[in-house]
Amino acid sequence: MSKILPAGTPAPDFTLRVTPDQTLSLKELRGRPVILAFYPADWSPVCGDQMALYNEVLPEFHRFNAELLGISVDGVWCHAAFSHDHNLHFPLLADFEPKGAVAKLYGVYRDGEGVSERALFVVDKSGTISWSYLSPVAVNPGADGILEALENLPK
Amino acid sequence: MAKLKVPVSPADHAQGPADAPVTLVEYGDYECPYCGRAYPVVKALQKRLGKQLRFVFRNFPLRETHHHAEAAAETAEFAATQDKFWEMHDLIYENQQDLSDELLSDLAKRLKLDATDLARALETGEFAERVQKDFSGGVRSGVNGTPTFFINGQRHDADFELETLARAISEALP
């Protein structure tokens, strides 16, 4: 089992699908902080859903000019339905083919289950990981750690 | 382990003695069905623990998911200005399945509050800042959904069944 990439590591670049006909590369967002939120699966059956929470906290992330990307192994159509249902205002990336490749790159893939960990990264504007956090998979990590990491970024 | 970053203060809505050995803080959303399920659980805890427990409710409306959560939170804050926070809080949860703008107005009338004043307050967002302050403080404290409970300032990560919460609270008792 690989280890989660720590702070100080250059964030590996990737290109993933955001919608059936659109892709997004991490390097396109260079120049502003990026939050990568890996999570196991769409449609977790609680109001405590992590993505729904981040959707509510989005204005606070934007105060730091930060971009939030949700990443799971679900496919684009699944993401589209989930995003629509939850009225999400940020992109969900499909780490679908080859499955979990980006999660593996960041050291947050759960081999046995075939899903990613619940893991958070804050990438600074020059593309270096400035904070990373691996949450117990059953515990929604909330947003406090992300906000603290954004606050600690050099101005 | 996430900790409550905003200490309980006189600005909070609290039930039970200020010097109770245990303070239970709930961050809740009036439209969230899980909060609806937690409502009788908290009542049962209060009954069982009496003066040993202080209960504080803070707003955490998930506005994008629950379209009446914000209005409901502001309605309870409106009621609070006339010392009727808890009456309104209880009535909203007891009628949660029918939550609507109309219901909020009816509940105000039932508590002999001025429904016109309420409508104006909701329209101007008079209590929006207060609700937002609760929400932001909750985010900073690691609130990760609704309901989120804190027992003496520590986030309770287990479920909120009566016996689970009761056990966690008894462990926090000195």
Side-chain angles (χ1 to χ4, degrees), chain B residues 34-98:
Chain B
Y34 298 90
C35 299
R37 264 179 14 212
Y39 168 73
V41 172
V42 171
K43 289 277 183 224
L45 283 170
Q46 289 179 297
K47 202 167 164 196
R48 192 187 288 192
L49 293 161
K51 289 187 170 144
Q52 288 191 295
L53 183 70
R54 174 170 62 158
F55 175 58
V56 170
F57 184 89
R58 289 177 175 170
N59 298 296
F60 203 83
L62 299 170
R63 305 171 182 100
E64 298 285 347
T65 315
H66 299 141
H67 299 298
H68 298 99
E70 173 70 23
E74 291 182 24
T75 299
E77 292 302 330
F78 167 80
T81 60
Q82 294 169 59
D83 288 329
K84 290 188 174 164
F85 175 81
W86 291 106
E87 288 93 325
M88 183 59 86
H89 169 274
D90 290 3
L91 276 176
I92 297 174
Y93 275 124
E94 283 159 21
N95 294 280
Q96 191 189 38
Q97 67 284 3
D98 302 319

Side-chain angles (χ1 to χ4, degrees), chain A residues 113-131:
Chain A
E113 288 132 89
V115 296
S116 84
E117 297 276 6
R118 233 176 250 291
L120 302 170
F121 296 85
V122 168
V123 178
D124 69 17
K125 59 185 180 191
S126 61
T128 302
I129 295 171
S130 65
W131 178 77

